[in-house]
């Protein structure tokens, strides 16, 4: 009876650990230790197999979480491109095929909604371990130590980069008016572009997307 009670507490601990900090189990050594502990716990309840089912479900969820995060990391790395390459592509592209944001989406509400979808996608991939990584890094700086054992997740960096990209997009869309339009038209067009982004920022505020709002401002 004592063993079963103890096993239940260990299972609860492992469940919360694997759900909150799955990156702790991404290397073979820690995964092997987890399996060994799980095997010993299941021996305490061989009669009805309830513990075995719970452990099996926990392990499956852990592997799925690690796989999902690994795929997200691969996708971000795939689409990461040097700024110089982007500039070269823009220069070689004919001006007639270069569209401004208004020709793609002229409704501030729709653009604000799309920006919010992107924000939610970025935020959903930030986990407690990302925050712990920053705390650990700050601690290592304070103590002048190198923490080589800390796994870098890049999710917070990706969120920060998105903020900078949105700010750059707004600035680029306003400044490129000078390149596309003649002297007479460009002042009016630039004013229109600034007013459009002000409306987008207002719609972001109404939705509750304050990060995109601040990036636009």
């Amino acid at each position: 009876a004592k063993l079963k009670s103890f096993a239940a507490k260990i299972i609860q601990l492992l469940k919360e650990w694997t759900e909150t900090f799955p990156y702790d189990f991404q290397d073979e050594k820690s995964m092997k230790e987890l399996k060994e502990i799980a095997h010993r716990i299941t021996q305490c309840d061989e009669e009805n197999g309830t513990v075995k089912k719970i452990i099996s479900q926990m392990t499956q969820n852990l592997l799925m979480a690690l796989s999902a995060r690994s795929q997200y990391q691969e996708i971000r790395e795939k689409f990461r491109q040097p700024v110089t390459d982007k500039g070269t592509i823009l220069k070689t592209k004919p001006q007639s095929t270069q569209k401004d944001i208004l020709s793609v989406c002229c409704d501030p509400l729709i653009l604000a909604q799309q920006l919010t979808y992107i924000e939610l996608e970025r935020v959903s991939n930030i986990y407690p371990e990302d925050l712990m990584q920053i705390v650990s890094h700050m601690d290592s700086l304070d103590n002048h130590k190198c923490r080589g054992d800390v796994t870098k997740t890049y999710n917070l960096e990706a969120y920060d980069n998105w903020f900078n990209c949105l700010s750059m997009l707004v600035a680029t869309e306003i400044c490129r008016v000078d390149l596309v339009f003649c002297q007479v038209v460009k002042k009016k067009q630039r004013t229109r572009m600034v007013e459009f982004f002000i409306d987008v920022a207002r719609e972001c505020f109404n939705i509750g997307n304050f990060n995109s709002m601040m990036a636009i401002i």
Side-chain angles (χ1 to χ4, degrees), residues 11 27 32 56 70 81 90 96 135 139 146 162 193 205 214:
I11 290 169
D27 60 277
K32 184 182 177 183
S56 177
S70 177
Q81 191 179 20
L90 193 61
S96 57
V135 173
D139 183 58
C146 180
W162 159 245
M193 190 69 73
F205 175 82
M214 290 305 298

Side-chain angles (χ1 to χ4, degrees), residues 33-66:
E33 289 177 352
L34 176 65
K35 287 178 180 177
E36 286 175 359
I37 294 169
H39 177 68
R40 292 177 68 180
I41 293 170
T42 51
Q43 289 179 334
C44 300
D45 186 40
E46 291 181 336
E47 297 171 7
N48 52 26
T50 306
V51 171
K52 192 174 182 178
K53 289 178 183 177
I54 295 171
I55 292 288
S56 177
Q57 186 64 47
M58 179 193 74
T59 307
Q60 188 177 348
N61 291 340
L62 173 61
L63 293 173
M64 286 174 64
L66 288 172

Side-chain angles (χ1 to χ4, degrees), residues 3 10 32 69 81 89 96 118-119 172 182 186 202:
L3 279 172
I10 292 292
K32 184 182 177 183
R69 295 185 194 197
Q81 191 179 20
I89 291 168
S96 57
I118 296 171
E119 291 283 347
T172 303
C182 63
K186 68 180 182 182
R202 185 182 291 112

Side-chain angles (χ1 to χ4, degrees), residues 54-181:
I54 295 171
I55 292 288
S56 177
Q57 186 64 47
M58 179 193 74
T59 307
Q60 188 177 348
N61 291 340
L62 173 61
L63 293 173
M64 286 174 64
L66 288 172
S67 175
R69 295 185 194 197
S70 177
Q71 287 176 5
Y72 178 71
Q73 178 72 14
E74 287 175 8
I75 289 169
R76 280 198 296 102
E77 289 296 330
K78 187 177 179 181
F79 286 100
R80 186 180 290 176
Q81 191 179 20
V83 177
T84 51
D85 292 352
K86 292 175 183 176
T88 306
I89 291 168
L90 193 61
K91 286 176 184 176
T92 55
K93 209 172 180 183
Q95 280 197 1
S96 57
T97 62
Q98 294 180 23
K99 295 182 179 181
D100 61 17
I101 195 76
L102 289 172
S103 62
V104 177
C105 178
C106 60
D107 189 334
L109 177 59
I110 291 175
L111 181 56
Q113 289 172 343
Q114 294 302 315
L115 293 176
T116 305
Y117 290 138
I118 296 171
E119 291 283 347
L120 291 171
E121 187 267 338
R122 295 291 193 280
V123 170
S124 67
N125 284 284
I126 296 176
Y127 301 94
E129 53 217 359
D130 297 295
L131 305 176
M132 291 298 293
Q133 179 179 285
I134 287 184
V135 173
S136 180
H137 178 66
M138 298 269 301
D139 183 58
S140 65
L141 289 176
D142 293 339
N143 296 315
H144 305 287
K145 294 178 182 177
C146 180
R147 287 294 304 276
D149 59 325
V150 177
T151 304
K152 207 159 179 57
T153 59
Y154 300 102
N155 293 327
L156 279 168
E157 285 184 19
Y159 191 55
D160 186 51
N161 289 338
W162 159 245
F163 182 95
N164 295 330
C165 284
L166 180 55
S167 294
M168 291 289 286
L169 172 67
V170 174
T172 303
E173 287 298 318
I174 294 168
C175 292
R176 75 193 290 270
V177 171
D178 293 340
L179 303 173
V180 178
F181 295 94

Side-chain angles (χ1 to χ4, degrees), residues 15-26 62 66 69 127-132:
K15 274 191 68 178
E16 293 186 14
W17 191 352
T18 53
E19 288 171 5
T20 309
F21 298 102
Y23 268 120
D24 286 353
F25 302 93
Q26 67 177 346
L62 173 61
L66 288 172
R69 295 185 194 197
Y127 301 94
E129 53 217 359
D130 297 295
L131 305 176
M132 291 298 293

